[in-house]
């Protein structure tokens, strides 16, 4: 009886402590939830396995600098919770101007507060609706507050919120939710890199672009706070390097939540624009 209990305990510890796709096992630290980071210079062909790549400033040549960031996942996450995530049990988403008239129009209902900046450019495929979802607008904007707190402590200039980057980050977060994967490249767009997603598909003009991503499953919506997300990223060397990169001047974010399994996908974008 005691032997069986010991074996069960060992199996339980092995299940909780294993590595998962999208993270790198580290003897000194395990990240509680999967997250990943990347920085790219313009026209860079490969993601370079999640390494931080310095952005060329003042016509200097870029250099590679290994910072210990996590390698992006090459496989889509399985339906079950990742083995290195302590999860709770699984539980069973331009206005066209109207014709001018002399009669006053009836007031139109206000758009929900969770729907700013959700339109996609012409030619960009819309994400499917495989799972119900909502954008956590308040969390998205508040991420900047905690990021700038960390930058101030490090003696860096604060970042400015870039509303034009929010739809890019939202598209990426929702794309990962709807297609059930967790990595920087976007399979539904011919494996477009974060830089390609921004500059080619959303026509965003910048010389450098960075991305942090986050994923969790099984936690209720209320647990997804801006402080929690920033704390998770700051506890990982690669993501911390992104947040504290002195080259960045702008930041945007997109956080999507689905009650179907309590999925959360968060994307944080940086630019030199």
């Amino acid at each position: 009886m005691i032997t069986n209990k010991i074996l069960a305990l060992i199996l339980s510890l092995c299940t909780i402590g294993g590595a998962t796709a999208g993270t790198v096992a580290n003897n000194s630290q395990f990240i509680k939830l999967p997250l990943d980071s990347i920085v790219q210079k313009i026209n860079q062909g490969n993601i370079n396995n999640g390494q931080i790549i310095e952005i060329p400033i003042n016509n200097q040549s870029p250099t590679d600098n290994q910072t210990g960031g996590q390698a992006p996942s090459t496989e889509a996450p399985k339906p079950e919770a990742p083995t290195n995530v302590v999860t709770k049990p699984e539980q069973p988403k331009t206005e066209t101007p109207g014709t001018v008239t002399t009669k006053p129009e009836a007031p139109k209902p206000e758009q929900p507060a969770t729907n700013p900046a959700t339109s996609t450019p012409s030619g960009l495929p819309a994400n499917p609706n495989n799972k119900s979802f909502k954008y956590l607008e308040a969390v998205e904007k508040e991420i900047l507050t905690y990021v700038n707190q960390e930058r101030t402590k490090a003696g860096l200039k604060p970042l400015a919120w870039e509303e034009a980057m929010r739809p890019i980050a939202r598209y990426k977060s929702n794309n990962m939710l709807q297609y059930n994967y967790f990595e920087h490249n976007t399979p539904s767009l011919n494996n477009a890199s974060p830089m390609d997603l921004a500059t080619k598909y959303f026509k965003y003009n910048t010389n450098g672009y960075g991305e942090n991503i986050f994923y969790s499953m099984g936690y209720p919506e209320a647990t997804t706070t801006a402080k929690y997300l920033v704390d998770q990223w700051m506890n990982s060397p690669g993501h911390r390097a992104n947040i504290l990169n002195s080259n960045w001047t702008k930041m945007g974010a997109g956080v999507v939540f689905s009650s179907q399994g309590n999925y959360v996908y968060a994307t944080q974008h940086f630019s030199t624009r």
Side-chain angles (χ1 to χ4, degrees):
M1 179 69 70
I2 294 176
T3 301
N4 289 341
K5 289 183 177 179
I6 292 174
L7 288 173
L9 177 59
I10 292 172
L11 287 172
S12 174
L13 290 174
C14 288
T15 300
I16 294 174
T20 185
T23 63
V24 175
N26 186 308
N27 292 332
S28 63
Q29 181 183 14
F30 278 99
I31 305 304
K32 184 178 180 182
L33 295 176
L35 31 75
D36 215 342
S37 65
I38 191 170
V39 177
Q40 292 189 319
K41 65 182 178 64
I42 198 162
N43 296 327
Q44 180 191 340
N46 298 316
I47 283 184
N48 205 15
N49 295 327
Q51 283 191 120
I52 298 301
I53 298 171
E54 295 180 0
I55 306 303
I57 301 296
N58 297 329
N59 297 321
Q60 295 177 356
S61 298
T63 57
D64 291 344
N65 178 25
Q66 181 76 37
T67 63
Q70 282 73 31
S73 169
T74 56
E75 298 181 0
K78 301 297 188 298
E80 60 269 18
T83 54
N84 72 332
V85 179
V86 181
T87 60
K88 297 180 181 178
E90 269 195 348
Q91 300 180 14
K93 100 190 59 103
T94 49
E95 186 174 339
T96 304
T99 304
V100 177
T101 62
T102 55
K103 293 176 61 178
E105 292 184 343
K108 296 180 180 179
E110 293 184 2
Q111 292 295 319
T114 52
N115 286 330
T118 55
S119 61
T120 56
S122 175
L124 179 67
N127 285 321
N129 290 311
N130 298 324
K131 296 184 182 73
S132 63
F133 70 95
K134 62 188 276 190
Y135 295 114
L136 305 186
E137 180 189 2
V139 175
E140 293 168 348
K141 201 69 179 285
E142 197 176 8
I143 287 173
L144 180 67
T145 300
Y146 292 103
V147 163
N148 281 339
Q149 286 180 5
E150 297 295 341
R151 289 178 67 87
T152 299
K153 287 190 287 186
L156 298 171
K157 292 181 180 179
L159 300 178
W161 176 262
E162 178 75 291
E163 186 63 29
M165 292 169 69
R166 173 149 45 185
I168 310 173
R170 283 186 167 187
Y171 185 90
K172 178 61 179 179
S173 292
N174 196 21
N175 190 269
M176 290 190 290
L177 168 70
Q178 301 300 336
Y179 287 106
N180 191 34
Y181 72 97
F182 180 69
E183 61 181 271
H184 293 293
N185 283 8
T186 305
S188 64
L189 299 177
N190 298 315
N191 284 324
S193 68
M195 174 67 86
D196 286 342
L197 177 63
T199 60
K200 293 183 180 180
Y201 288 94
F202 279 85
K203 311 303 180 187
Y204 183 79
N205 183 25
T206 182
N207 290 322
Y209 208 76
E211 178 180 88
N212 285 345
I213 55 178
F214 170 96
Y215 154 76
S216 70
M217 178 182 67
Y219 293 90
E221 178 184 341
T223 65
T224 305
T225 65
K227 187 177 189 311
Y228 179 70
L229 291 173
V230 174
D231 284 348
Q232 292 296 304
W233 283 323
M234 286 297 292
N235 287 332
S236 169
H239 308 89
R240 180 187 179 92
N242 254 349
I243 290 173
L244 301 183
N245 188 328
S246 62
N247 293 327
W248 303 138
T249 59
K250 306 283 187 179
M251 193 210 86
V255 182
V256 66
F257 174 81
S258 175
S259 59
Q260 293 177 259
N262 284 355
Y263 286 91
V264 173
Y265 285 87
T267 302
Q268 181 182 38
H269 281 167
F270 309 89
S271 80
T272 57
R273 176 170 164 176

